């Protein structure tokens, strides 16, 4: 895996949206939360305000458990939905399957990840239909327990609401629960123009891993549960996992600011627009193949080796050859602007010539 030095200027880095800093309103909210004394462990005004904000955007009461990482969100959510003898059905290219270092298995106490095939990061419905019933009731096998949907997908695509409904229906008909890995939830929502409710519980999702860190927050993601029956278990699991932070106000102040005045969607729209601009520019350059039109904020393309080397030498940073030789991933963030994209495209054209 290729990496870049930590000091790469933001306009030069397309490694990940994790490299972007914090959105100014979120930084201000953290500074405001640092003043004075409040009760610990989420019993503070910042946390109460954030919980109300989540209820407003999802159009119903929800249980919200702030966590410090997306891995913790995924692990805790799956642990509440899956017995240790169960299995989690997820796309074979999903983050759960490739980039969690066994965290789902750790949090669930040994539940097995089962990879489901499908193109563009989407599980094939017929493959899933077979998997949800495979060896069900057989004491010699792990039992299908939960379906996990990535939104947006690892390839930069976005499930439509109807696709989520279909996968959730297949899961529900077989008695399985549904988890959504929403590390780039806002980017997917911005692309679809749907409501948070339409893309989650109204489509059959039981628990959401709600990502904010990639889109302007500092250290705040959350588990959002739409099933009140899971409240106590998630609360105890969060504490046991070290995710019930004493000064939770610093996380919930971020989440509150993130959801205030549409900041989260504005950031996501900007990142998505930069990816579209980048993709449109790249596909116009001879010798470059765009693998798919970006729907969220990720662009996958194939670059000639000499071009990749020239861009890296010029100081640009991005993942390459991680998937297969010649394949490059470029991720845009809310902090990128049109000049960043245009300068990169200028460099691409210059080195291509």
């Amino acid at each position: 895996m290729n990496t870049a030095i930590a000091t790469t200027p933001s306009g030069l880095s397309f490694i990940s949206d994790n490299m972007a800093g914090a959105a100014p309103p979120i930084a201000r909210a953290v500074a405001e939360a640092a003043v004075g004394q409040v009760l610990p462990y989420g019993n503070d005004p910042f946390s109460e305000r954030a919980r109300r904000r989540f209820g407003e955007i999802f159009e119903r009461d929800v249980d919200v458990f702030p966590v410090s990482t997306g891995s913790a969100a995924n692990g805790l959510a799956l642990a509440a939905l899956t017995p240790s003898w169960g299995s989690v059905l997820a796309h074979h290219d999903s983050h759960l399957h490739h980039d969690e270092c066994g965290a789902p298995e750790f949090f669930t106490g040994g539940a097995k990840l089962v990879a489901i095939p499908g193109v563009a990061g989407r599980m094939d419905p017929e493959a899933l239909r077979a998997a949800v019933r495979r060896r069900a009731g057989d004491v010699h096998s792990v039992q299908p327990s939960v379906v996990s949907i990535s939104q947006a997908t690892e390839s930069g695509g976005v499930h439509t609401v109807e696709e989520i409904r279909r996968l959730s229906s297949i899961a529900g008909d077989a008695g399985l629960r549904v988890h959504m890995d929403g590390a780039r939830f806002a980017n997917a929502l911005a692309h679809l123009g749907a409501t948070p409710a339409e893309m989650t519980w109204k489509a059959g999702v039981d628990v959401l891993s709600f990502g904010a860190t990639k889109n302007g927050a500092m250290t705040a993601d959350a588990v959002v549960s739409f099933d009140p029956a899971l409240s106590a278990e998630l609360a105890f699991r969060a504490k046991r996992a070290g995710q019930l932070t004493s000064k939770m106000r610093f996380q919930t102040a971020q989440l509150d600011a993130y959801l205030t005045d549409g900041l989260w969607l504005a950031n996501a729209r900007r990142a998505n627009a930069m990816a579209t601009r980048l993709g449109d520019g790249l596909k116009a350059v001879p010798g470059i193949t765009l693998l798919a039109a970006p729907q969220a904020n990720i662009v996958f393309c194939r670059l000639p080796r000499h071009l990749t080397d020239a861009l890296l030498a010029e100081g640009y940073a991005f993942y390459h050859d991680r998937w297969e030789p010649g394949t490059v991933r470029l991720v845009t963030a809310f902090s990128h602007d049109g000049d960043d994209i245009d300068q990169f495209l200028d460099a691409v054209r210059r080195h291509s010539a």
Side-chain angles (χ1 to χ4, degrees):
M1 176 169 43
N2 298 280
T3 58
I5 57 173
T7 55
T8 302
S10 61
L12 296 179
S13 178
F14 297 93
I15 283 183
S16 173
D17 35 12
N18 284 322
M19 292 191 69
I26 292 175
R28 288 195 295 269
V30 172
E32 290 169 6
V35 178
Q37 295 188 345
V38 297
L39 290 171
Y41 301 111
N43 298 302
D44 59 85
F46 303 95
S47 298
E48 177 57 31
R49 195 161 59 231
R51 285 190 285 267
R52 286 201 307 270
R53 195 82 67 185
F54 274 98
E56 291 168 2
I57 70 163
F58 284 105
E59 304 172 37
R60 56 171 288 175
D61 290 338
V62 294
D63 290 307
V64 181
F65 302 89
V67 294
S68 56
T69 68
S71 294
N74 284 337
L76 289 169
L78 292 171
L81 298 172
T82 317
S84 57
W85 59 89
S87 62
V88 178
L89 312 183
H91 190 270
H92 63 78
D93 284 334
S94 66
H95 196 85
L96 286 182
H97 195 234
H98 286 296
D99 292 285
E100 296 283 25
C101 194
E105 295 91 333
F106 170 76
F107 277 93
T108 59
K112 185 175 182 178
L113 277 176
V114 175
I116 307 298
V119 299
R122 297 172 174 84
M123 287 179 283
D124 177 76
E126 294 312 309
L128 180 63
R129 197 182 304 278
V132 296
R133 299 189 183 279
R134 187 169 294 124
R135 305 194 72 173
D138 184 347
V139 74
H140 299 284
S141 176
V142 292
Q143 296 299 288
S145 301
V146 59
V147 171
S148 182
I149 302 170
S150 298
Q151 184 71 330
T153 72
E154 288 297 292
S155 59
V158 174
H159 288 89
T160 66
V161 171
E162 184 51 44
E163 287 171 338
I164 297 168
R165 285 199 195 102
R166 185 178 184 187
L167 296 175
S168 296
S169 177
I170 292 170
D173 288 347
L176 278 65
R177 307 301 292 274
V178 179
H179 163 257
M180 178 175 282
D181 180 353
R184 295 184 174 92
F185 184 82
N187 300 93
L189 200 67
H191 172 76
L192 291 180
T195 68
E198 289 169 343
M199 205 171 77
T200 53
W201 63 271
K202 287 185 177 181
V205 175
D206 296 296
V207 181
L208 164 69
S209 295
F210 181 87
T213 302
K214 294 179 185 296
N215 194 39
M218 294 180 183
T219 54
D221 294 319
V223 177
V224 179
S225 173
F226 306 107
D227 182 356
L230 298 173
S231 300
E233 180 170 356
L234 279 166
F236 282 110
R237 285 189 178 277
K239 171 61 179 178
R240 192 166 182 263
Q243 294 295 321
L244 179 64
T245 54
S246 60
K247 294 186 178 181
M248 189 183 289
R249 68 185 186 270
F250 290 113
Q251 290 168 293
T252 51
Q254 292 178 62
L255 294 170
D256 180 42
Y258 183 66
L259 298 175
T260 296
D261 296 330
L263 174 66
W264 63 306
L265 292 176
N267 281 0
R269 290 189 189 106
R270 182 186 184 92
N272 289 3
M274 294 301 102
T276 298
R277 184 171 182 154
L278 180 58
D280 288 345
L282 287 171
K283 69 183 180 182
V285 178
I288 294 178
T289 303
L290 205 65
L291 299 187
Q295 294 181 316
N297 62 319
I298 301 175
V299 178
F300 274 94
C301 61
R302 287 201 174 93
L303 301 184
R305 185 73 213 189
H306 76 274
L307 179 54
T308 296
D309 290 342
L311 291 169
L312 294 172
E314 194 164 319
Y316 288 101
F318 45 82
Y319 282 134
H320 59 94
D321 297 341
R322 189 181 186 193
W323 295 267
E324 59 183 63
T327 296
V328 164
R329 188 190 79 166
L330 302 160
V331 183
T332 54
F334 76 94
S335 55
H336 283 117
D337 60 28
D339 287 343
D340 296 328
I341 305 303
D342 293 344
Q343 288 172 17
F344 179 78
L345 290 172
D346 287 343
V348 168
R349 287 187 286 265
R350 186 173 68 253
H351 291 299
S352 294

